[in-house]
Amino acid sequence: MKYRLEKDSMGEIKVEEDKLWGAQTQRSLENFAIGNRKMPSEMIWALAMLKKVCAFSNVVFGKLEPAVAEEIGLATNMIMAGNLSEHFPLSIYQTGSGTQTNMNLNEVIANYVNAQNKTRKVHPNDDVNKSQSSNDIFPSAMHISAVKALHERLYPNLEKLSETFAKLSWEYKEVIKIGRTHLQDATPITFGQEVSAWTRMLDNSLKMIKDTEKYLYELPIGGTAVGTGLNAPAGFGDLACELLSEEIGYNFVSADNKFHALSSKDSLVNLHGSLKTLATSLMKIANDVRWLACGPRAGINEIKIPENEPGSSIMPGKVNPTQCEALTMVATRVFGNDVTIGLAGASGNFQLNVFMPILIDSLLESINLLSDSICSFNDNCAVGILPNHDQMEKNLTNSLMLVTALNPYIGYDKAAEVAKFAFEKGINLQEAAIQLNIVTQEAFQLYVNPKKMI
């Protein structure tokens, strides 16, 4: 292995010759060999974009030569294209401000530029990080990466699953089945009505997430170290946000109160709360699906789901609701991430939150897992759901809760007597009502009509 010597304010350190990072990245790599979770690629992309717009903002304020900004822009384009991904090796378990990842970006950009242009030296702090601090750049990148992940990954998949359920609801709006409350038989419902609840749950979750998303568009950029904007020209944050918005199509603004924007992560905590709400809805839907599909001979068996793979290594012919299981496991991970994010958001001190790497890693993991699992569940399960008409009719006909339709005619107490007698004797409701001399066959058939009960 060949090495070169890199130097920072603490002295010299050896770095592998083919790596573009510098001394501060190397120190972090050696000092924080913790776990195998690296800084998310979405954050590397967002930080690179910020370095680009900050470079050109510095040109406008006369702080950086245009040629240097152009070279920085070319380097950041390479990073955003994923061509330099091997040069970002740092763990999320590092300094809580994300300083080491910010310096990782600064060093890689500077060394890439210097390797392309031997006539001048670009400095990672003095040039690439000009008018910036990790304390305003890293949280700005957190917001950018979250917005992009929502729009480019979560929203399309969530809308697709909602559309699948809406189609099922319409297609089977007249298929009558028994309803259930407390895991016990209840009055009738249509399968379309049952599925419509799933559709509305997803639609409401989408609205809630979008309601919380709006708080992400204020960025702390321009606040530098503690919110005062020290070492950045007046208006730097406004211009950087303007250029950023032009580049990526989302309307970010520099926060009015940068002391809040640096020290509080409430917008991200709030966003994840809505993601947790989505996870609870998905857990409920997945559980409904696997309950309704359970069997096929000793369970409810009212719907059929796609048979994607063998379900058992020992029981031939067994098929399990694996997509439901994957979706519910993702939900539990999101619940755990919500605890992490809540604690991280609550644990900042004075002018800075120092739990930012774990916070954004947990947030992006939730978004990505929800996106992937929703897509998988839709494509491999939801689109193939079919009602088992025979089983639905059988369960409906045998249900004792159809007796509810008799309440207005014979009263609650006599209706309960009919239901209990039918259950004890193992007969249907009509037979029970006739044997008890409560109603005639004609009256029973007139009063107890499932089509009038939905």
Side-chain angles (χ1 to χ4, degrees):
M1 187 76 68
K2 294 184 178 181
Y3 295 91
R4 69 180 190 277
L5 287 178
E6 284 279 346
K7 187 177 181 180
D8 61 10
S9 60
M10 297 185 70
E12 293 183 337
I13 189 170
K14 290 196 299 183
V15 176
E16 291 179 26
E17 194 174 61
D18 63 339
K19 298 299 188 288
L20 286 174
W21 63 73
Q24 293 195 48
T25 303
Q26 186 64 34
R27 294 188 196 284
S28 178
L29 194 58
E30 294 179 10
N31 292 335
F32 296 95
I34 303 172
N36 57 9
R37 294 187 72 92
K38 308 303 180 186
M39 190 60 62
S41 60
E42 296 94 336
M43 276 295 290
I44 302 301
W45 188 99
L47 285 163
M49 176 57 75
L50 281 170
K51 296 299 174 183
K52 180 179 181 179
V53 299
C54 285
F56 287 105
S57 296
N58 278 313
V59 170
V60 174
F61 286 105
K63 300 290 184 180
L64 198 65
E65 294 178 20
V68 174
E70 289 289 345
E71 291 172 335
I72 290 173
L74 291 173
T76 58
N77 287 342
M78 289 288 289
I79 293 170
M80 289 186 286
N83 295 327
L84 301 176
S85 57
E86 70 273 19
H87 300 288
F88 302 100
L90 298 187
S91 168
I92 62 167
Y93 300 104
Q94 52 166 281
T95 173
S97 62
T99 298
Q100 290 151 1
T101 288
N102 180 43
M103 284 309 304
N104 187 190
L105 267 290
N106 293 334
E107 290 175 342
V108 169
I109 291 168
N111 284 336
Y112 181 85
V113 169
N114 294 337
Q116 307 303 310
N117 189 339
K118 306 292 185 181
T119 61
R120 64 170 164 266
K121 285 289 184 181
V122 170
H123 193 278
N125 296 81
D126 297 337
D127 298 313
V128 185
N129 201 59
K130 186 178 287 293
S131 305
Q132 306 154 55
S133 164
S134 300
N135 297 356
D136 65 344
I137 286 296
F138 195 87
S140 294
M142 292 166 70
H143 285 212
I144 294 166
S145 62
V147 167
K148 277 178 56 63
L150 290 174
H151 281 270
E152 296 175 10
R153 303 213 62 224
L154 183 61
Y155 291 166
N157 288 328
L158 185 51
E159 289 166 355
K160 183 168 66 171
L161 180 57
S162 177
E163 290 168 3
T164 295
F165 284 147
K167 181 180 177 183
L168 281 172
S169 179
W170 176 257
E171 188 172 357
Y172 300 115
K173 66 182 186 297
E174 295 181 357
V175 176
I176 304 174
K177 62 182 293 292
I178 198 65
R180 292 180 178 85
T181 58
H182 304 271
L183 292 180
Q184 306 296 307
D185 299 348
T187 55
I189 191 173
T190 72
F191 185 48
Q193 289 170 333
E194 187 165 47
V195 177
S196 74
W198 305 343
T199 310
R200 180 57 65 90
M201 291 171 78
L202 298 181
D203 292 345
N204 282 351
S205 291
L206 181 58
K207 290 177 184 177
M208 292 175 192
I209 296 168
K210 288 184 175 181
D211 283 344
T212 59
E213 179 203 336
K214 64 187 177 185
Y215 297 103
L216 301 178
Y217 287 90
E218 281 196 356
L219 303 183
I221 189 168
T224 64
V226 294
T228 61
L230 180 66
N231 290 352
F236 180 82
D238 293 328
L239 179 58
C241 285
E242 183 180 331
L243 297 180
L244 173 67
S245 300
E246 290 175 2
E247 284 277 348
I248 64 178
Y250 302 108
N251 294 320
F252 291 100
V253 297
S254 185
D256 291 335
N257 189 317
K258 294 181 177 61
F259 306 104
H260 164 261
L262 265 67
S263 62
S264 173
K265 296 293 153 277
D266 51 9
S267 57
L268 295 167
V269 175
N270 187 39
L271 169 63
H272 199 274
S274 64
L275 296 176
K276 183 182 72 171
T277 301
L278 171 60
T280 63
S281 294
L282 293 170
M283 176 79 88
K284 195 272 185 193
I285 290 167
N287 281 333
D288 280 356
V289 169
R290 60 180 168 185
W291 271 108
L292 291 172
C294 73
R297 291 191 174 178
I300 295 174
N301 191 28
E302 286 187 348
I303 65 171
K304 300 174 183 177
I305 57 176
E307 299 181 356
N308 295 322
E309 64 277 314
S312 172
S313 62
I314 190 173
M315 293 175 280
K318 196 172 192 296
V319 179
N320 294 331
T322 51
Q323 289 297 319
C324 298
E325 292 164 7
L327 189 59
T328 53
M329 284 192 285
V330 164
T332 64
R333 175 67 74 183
V334 174
F335 299 153
N337 284 344
D338 196 66
V339 175
T340 298
I341 288 171
L343 289 171
S347 301
N349 299 111
F350 305 115
Q351 278 68 61
L352 187 67
N353 180 285
V354 289
F355 288 77
M356 289 192 286
I358 187 66
L359 197 159
I360 191 58
D361 180 69
S362 300
L363 180 71
L364 290 172
E365 182 186 46
S366 289
I367 294 174
N368 288 327
L369 285 176
L370 287 168
S371 302
D372 289 345
S373 61
I374 288 169
C375 181
S376 180
F377 181 77
N378 180 77
D379 294 351
N380 299 304
C381 181
V383 295
I385 291 175
L386 294 171
N388 184 343
H389 295 278
D390 291 341
Q391 188 67 24
M392 285 184 178
E393 177 65 24
K394 177 183 176 182
N395 289 341
L396 177 67
T397 302
N398 290 334
S399 172
L400 300 176
M401 289 304 102
L402 295 180
V403 78
T404 306
L406 289 176
N407 283 6
Y409 306 102
I410 65 175
Y412 183 95
D413 291 337
K414 284 191 175 182
E417 183 183 353
V418 171
K420 291 180 179 180
F421 186 77
F423 181 69
E424 291 169 0
K425 298 299 183 181
I427 57 179
N428 63 39
L429 290 172
Q430 179 175 295
E431 292 169 333
I434 293 170
Q435 289 185 28
L436 290 171
N437 294 316
I438 291 177
V439 294
T440 65
Q441 179 177 343
E442 293 76 12
F444 183 92
Q445 292 176 353
L446 177 63
Y447 300 149
V448 183
N449 183 347
K451 290 183 179 180
K452 295 180 179 180
M453 299 173 69
I454 56 172

